[in-house]
């Protein structure tokens, strides 16, 4: 991919040089970050509409029985060039820049090549915006109108990005360890006696892989990789599927639902999330660097069954 000065992901040499990684304590600032109003409204709407029935509806919509498109990883990256995540309080660069930053951080740390691939693709599920529906929290664009901050409230409710951000398990009580727990009471499932107490609809130690989640890019991409028969190891798939499940891997929730294997999985997800979070910065990636990185990652994508046209 060659970026030009008109590309949303292009970073000038001056901008590239002045960028800097901020201190760890400044990440995940949900109090007074420069993007606070966007993020705050995002989570209010997400908590309001992400119910068990919504999750099941979206899982059916994004089933791979009938793929929506076929494209290569590079083509999918092009589709994400201008996508900026409304749930992220740390940066306002296109999400594709963050994915390269994550992969490169994992690479520098000397982790296995399959984990580098996970870093590169972990947020590619956000390509769902291409098939978005306003009534489902997506409006099919990657620009500012996706979250429509300048529109009236009704328009904003319809177009807010409900399928991004920290996730939680649906079908059981939403834990207080979620971001903005004050919004939990807005969720209709928390007024349903089947889901608002104890373990909800689950059995003790049923295992993470058997749970249902607030639907988002993690779940979509996990199912996409399985459908395309990629060969990324199970721990890598866990990083993709569970990396936004902060109430679990960071907040300590859902321990009574975990198996012994899930406890081992937790260590891998936490290791991955160091790079997902702490490699973010505002300096972006220069066009020359991007070309060089593609030369490195293309053979790795092929190694793990992600070359050529894939089902999306």
């Amino acid at each position: 991919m060659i970026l030009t000065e008109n590309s949303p992901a292009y970073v000038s040499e001056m901008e590239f040089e002045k960028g800097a990684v901020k201190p760890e304590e400044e990440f995940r600032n949900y109090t007074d970050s420069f993007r606070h109003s966007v993020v705050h409204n995002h989570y209010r709407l997400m908590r309001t509409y992400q119910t068990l029935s919504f999750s099941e509806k979206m899982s059916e919509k994004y089933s791979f029985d009938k793929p929506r498109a076929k494209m290569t990883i590079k083509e999918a990256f092009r589709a994400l060039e201008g996508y900026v995540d409304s749930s992220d309080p740390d940066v306002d660069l296109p999400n594709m820049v963050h994915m390269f930053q994550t992969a490169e951080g994992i690479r520098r740390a000397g982790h296995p090549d399959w984990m580098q691939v996970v870093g590169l693709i972990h947020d590619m599920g956000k390509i769902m915006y291409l098939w978005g529906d306003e009534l489902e929290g997506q409006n099919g664009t990657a620009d500012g109108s996706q979250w429509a901050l300048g529109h009236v409230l009704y328009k904003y409710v319809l177009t807010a990005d409900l399928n991004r951000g920290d996730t939680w398990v649906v079908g059981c009580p939403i834990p207080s360890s979620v971001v903005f727990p004050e919004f939990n009471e807005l969720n209709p499932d928390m007024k349903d006696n089947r889901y608002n107490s104890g373990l909800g609809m689950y059995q003790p130690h049923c295992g993470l892989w058997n749970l249902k989640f607030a639907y988002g890019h993690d779940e979509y991409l996990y199912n996409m990789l399985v459908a395309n028969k990629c060969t990324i190891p199970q721990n890598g798939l866990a990083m993709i599927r569970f990396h936004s499940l902060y109430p679990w891997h960071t907040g300590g929730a859902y321990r009574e639902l975990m198996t012994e294997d899930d406890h081992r999985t937790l260590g891998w997800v936490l290791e991955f999330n160091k790079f997902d979070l702490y490699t973010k910065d505002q300096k972006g990636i220069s066009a020359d660097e991007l070309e060089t990185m593609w030369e490195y990652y293309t053979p790795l994508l092929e190694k793990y069954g992600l070359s050529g046209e894939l089902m999306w």
Side-chain angles (χ1 to χ4, degrees), residues 8 14 26 30 65 76 86 99 127 139 150 155 163 167 170 179 195 212 267:
M14 182 178 296
E26 293 184 14
Y30 291 101
D65 292 339
S86 66
M99 289 189 283
I127 200 169
N139 70 347
K155 179 67 173 176
N163 297 308
T167 58
V170 294
V179 175
Y195 313 130
K212 295 184 177 183

Side-chain angles (χ1 to χ4, degrees), residues 17-173:
E17 290 298 329
K18 73 181 180 182
V21 178
K22 61 185 179 181
E24 289 187 10
E25 62 270 16
E26 293 184 14
F27 285 93
R28 288 183 64 79
N29 174 4
Y30 291 101
T31 304
D32 57 1
S33 78
F34 74 107
R35 307 193 70 222
H36 180 73
S37 61
V38 177
V39 176
H40 185 268
N41 280 299
H42 167 91
Y43 280 105
R44 177 177 61 82
L45 293 166
M46 187 178 180
R47 205 68 48 76
T48 299
Y49 296 111
Q50 280 273 13
T51 62
L52 173 63
S53 62
F54 181 86
S55 176
E56 291 175 338
K57 174 185 176 181
M58 297 299 279
S59 293
E60 182 177 351
K61 172 178 177 175
Y62 289 107
S63 165
F64 285 86
D65 292 339
K66 293 181 179 179
R68 288 141 294 281
K70 285 192 174 183
M71 66 181 92
T72 66
I73 292 289
K74 269 194 173 184
E75 289 168 341
F77 261 90
R78 291 192 186 101
L80 284 168
E81 269 192 22
Y83 183 91
V84 177
D85 193 334
S86 66
S87 71
D88 194 335
D90 298 315
V91 294
D92 58 0
L93 288 172
N95 207 238
M96 61 161 287
V97 174
H98 163 60
M99 289 189 283
F100 274 106
Q101 289 173 339
T102 304
E104 287 293 278
I106 293 170
R107 178 184 174 187
R108 287 192 297 270
H111 282 301
D113 59 5
W114 59 262
M115 188 171 170
Q116 298 169 34
V117 171
V118 168
L120 181 67
I121 68 173
H122 74 281
D123 273 350
M124 294 201 76
K126 293 173 183 177
I127 200 169
M128 288 191 301
Y129 83 81
L130 291 176
W131 308 291
D133 184 302
E134 288 187 348
L135 297 178
E136 294 169 348
Q138 303 167 320
N139 70 347
T141 69
D143 57 22
S145 64
Q146 177 76 10
W147 14 96
L149 292 177
H151 292 277
V152 297
L153 179 62
Y154 178 69
K155 179 67 173 176
Y156 182 73
V157 168
L158 289 181
T159 60
D161 191 357
L162 303 181
N163 297 308
R164 315 292 186 259
D166 293 7
T167 58
W168 63 90
V169 178
V170 294
C172 66

